[in-house]
Amino acid sequence: MGDTPRRLLQRLIRRIPAQELKPTLEKWGRLSQAQLQTIDFTQSKWALTGKLGTICEERNWAVKHITELELIYVIDNPNLGMWHTFQLMDPRDNAHTVELLQFKEQFKSNLSELIRNVSVKIKKHTDEAVWIRIAWGDGLSQPNHFKPTYVVHYLQTPYVFVTSLNSKQKPLLSQALVLATSYHAIKDANLSGRKFTAIRDLLMRQYEQVFPRKFHSPLKERNQIVTDPHIEREQAESSANRLQMACEAFGGGKLPQLQSAVYKLETKFRGHNKSMTQREEPIRCVVKFASTNILESLRNCASSGIASTPVTPLLSSIPLKGRNYFVITDNGPGPSQTRQQN
Amino acid sequence: MSVLKPFSKLPGLKTATILLVEREEQFQQSLADALVEETGVTVNVRLAKSLPLPVENEESRPRIDLVVFIINLTSELSFQSAEASLKYLDAGYFLGKVCFMVTNARNTLVPTNRLDGVRKLAASLQCPLLFAEDQTPDGVSNATERLLAILKVAAGLVPMATALYLSNLTRCTVPPDIDQPSFD
């Protein structure tokens, strides 16, 4: 077995936690049950690497088989750094009927035309997501499998999620995606985070939505922490209202885990300092909110009264528009769009 | 402006009602759960974030014997909210039916002038100032015992003791050198 597949296998085995090794290999499907029985999974990782290495040599497997295993592991554990979102713009006529095989062929051929020596692996997950693993090379060198880019696209939606992409590779990937999906352009959707499932759920609204209602719920099951008849909350109605408005703005139940919200301000100074208000140029500053779960924190701020309700559109547009990077200028009352990027 | 009045309603038999006012609405919940467990006296607890209280509850609200302002020293807004609520209390309450309870006094992040500010406020209104620890069950039960002691007197359930008399004994005083810098 060559050096690259061996090193790749070693790195992969080290990365996969011990208790997930057996299920991942089973999902891979290339090892028969009998072979899996012969492997003792309580050994050290070093010994396991050796054993799997010999099996791979016997079966003459190459890099592409190992990358298959890596893709399977990453699909179940997609938290490998920052994920960024892109949105496809201006669909062509047949954009909504692009199906999997067509997309796969077009993408692979487009990318190979744009850059030689690139290795692409595409897999469709059970939940309609198309996962693409790209190892980039250039005209002179072989694809680098140690720093792959992962791309996830849901067919028939305009959203693409990308991780580990550098600025040189971005135009190539954009071009290939635009051609394969029959759109005209692609732009940055200004949503990024560490957890892939969180940004996907936020964008596709796969969390509990709370809708405004005119009349109070007859069941009154919310906020019933107080059960003793001698304890009475005086302002129960106003705190129930706050909770309702906070949930309408951000959602009920468990919220997708975003880590930050960034506001870039380019507005004129509005305050009491005379010399600052007389300046012509806008003040530039960046405000960043960070938390382990920023939506949960903001909802709590609104329901406990720290943030005034009804929730300001600056905060409520995070889940509404599905973005966590905003540029605010003096032009309009709300956050404005960033410049279009191709 | 709806001001809370101390003697506009009739008292209940062997009943005492306490109003806990806290901006954060955290400690009041655990205090309430501990207060209602008192036997011998029926304790009613009313919880609020700030005053004024909503007028809708005016009819059903019993006579409030003791108003406790819970101030979290780590938050300036907590102090300001308590201060702002004071003007919705009738002057009759300040004769022994108001008490201040302060949490997180030992926290090193608290600026010293905030505690001094609370002290001066309590001293100017001649109300007792209690310190409480809200994170452990022991702290909660200690605070509950002390509140019950004051509550029973304020509700008139202790013979030979009135709220005004007790507050004279327990009210907060400020040392004359409170404005001098301390040497920590």
Side-chain angles (χ1 to χ4, degrees), chain A residues 83-85 150-152 154 159-162 196 199-200 203:
Chain A
W83 284 87
H84 301 276
T85 326
Y150 288 95
V151 178
V152 186
Y154 284 79
Y159 304 120
V160 180
F161 306 94
V162 183
F196 167 69
I199 55 176
R200 179 202 58 201
L203 216 43

Side-chain angles (χ1 to χ4, degrees), chain B residues 66-80:
Chain B
L66 182 64
V67 180
V68 182
F69 289 96
I70 300 175
I71 298 178
N72 184 345
L73 279 181
T74 53
S75 155
E76 180 70 27
L77 291 170
S78 188
F79 180 29
Q80 286 172 356

Side-chain angles (χ1 to χ4, degrees), chain A residues 80-146:
Chain A
L80 4 109
M82 284 301 265
W83 284 87
H84 301 276
T85 326
F86 292 94
Q87 189 169 350
L88 297 157
M89 312 287 290
D90 302 327
R92 284 185 227 263
D93 291 331
N94 60 340
H96 296 292
T97 56
V98 170
E99 50 87 42
L100 182 65
L101 277 175
Q102 183 189 351
F103 173 77
K104 268 167 96 153
E105 282 169 17
Q106 291 241 320
F107 184 79
K108 278 192 182 164
S109 62
N110 286 334
L111 201 57
S112 317
E113 270 174 47
L114 288 170
I115 170 172
R116 291 202 291 160
N117 277 343
V118 66
S119 160
V120 179
K121 194 155 223 68
I122 303 188
K123 183 167 163 55
K124 179 165 176 296
H125 193 43
T126 43
D127 69 344
E128 304 307 313
V130 181
W131 280 75
I132 309 173
R133 177 189 188 277
I134 308 173
W136 304 88
D138 53 31
L140 306 166
S141 59
Q142 287 296 312
N144 180 358
H145 281 282
F146 297 96

Side-chain angles (χ1 to χ4, degrees), chain A residues 188-342:
Chain A
D188 194 352
N190 291 319
L191 175 66
S192 56
R194 289 196 167 273
K195 284 198 183 274
F196 167 69
T197 42
I199 55 176
R200 179 202 58 201
D201 289 344
L202 185 69
L203 216 43
M204 314 243 223
R205 300 245 195 276
Q206 283 172 0
Y207 56 96
E208 186 189 325
Q209 309 274 312
V210 173
F211 297 101
R213 47 170 196 231
K214 197 165 147 85
F215 301 104
H216 285 295
S217 153
L219 294 173
K220 278 202 176 32
E221 70 272 21
R222 282 241 202 107
N223 209 17
Q224 290 289 26
I225 323 164
V226 170
T227 47
D228 196 304
H230 292 292
I231 303 177
E232 169 107 14
R233 302 179 75 95
E234 290 280 343
Q235 287 141 341
E237 200 182 302
S238 66
S239 68
N241 277 346
R242 276 201 308 265
L243 181 63
Q244 173 68 13
M245 287 202 268
C247 286
E248 277 172 30
F250 296 106
K254 205 152 172 282
L255 295 177
Q257 265 189 308
L258 283 187
Q259 284 79 33
S260 68
V262 176
Y263 296 85
K264 194 165 151 201
L265 300 174
E266 285 170 14
T267 56
K268 283 182 66 88
F269 185 82
R270 276 174 225 154
H272 298 296
N273 189 326
K274 262 244 150 64
S275 56
M276 294 292 275
T277 38
Q278 279 162 6
R279 275 182 180 219
E280 283 304 318
E281 321 88 54
I283 302 283
R284 288 166 203 280
C285 77
V286 175
V287 178
K288 180 173 175 179
F289 295 96
S291 160
T292 41
N293 189 337
I294 191 98
L295 289 175
E296 184 80 53
S297 314
L298 290 174
R299 182 177 66 181
N300 196 280
C301 280
S303 68
S304 65
I306 298 173
S308 59
T309 44
V311 182
T312 162
L314 284 172
L315 293 177
S316 61
S317 28
I318 300 175
L320 193 67
K321 297 192 185 164
R323 36 189 302 194
N324 64 356
Y325 177 78
F326 298 90
V327 175
I328 302 173
T329 60
D330 278 324
N331 298 335
S336 68
Q337 294 280 341
T338 53
R339 289 176 290 278
Q340 279 238 2
Q341 291 168 21
N342 197 4

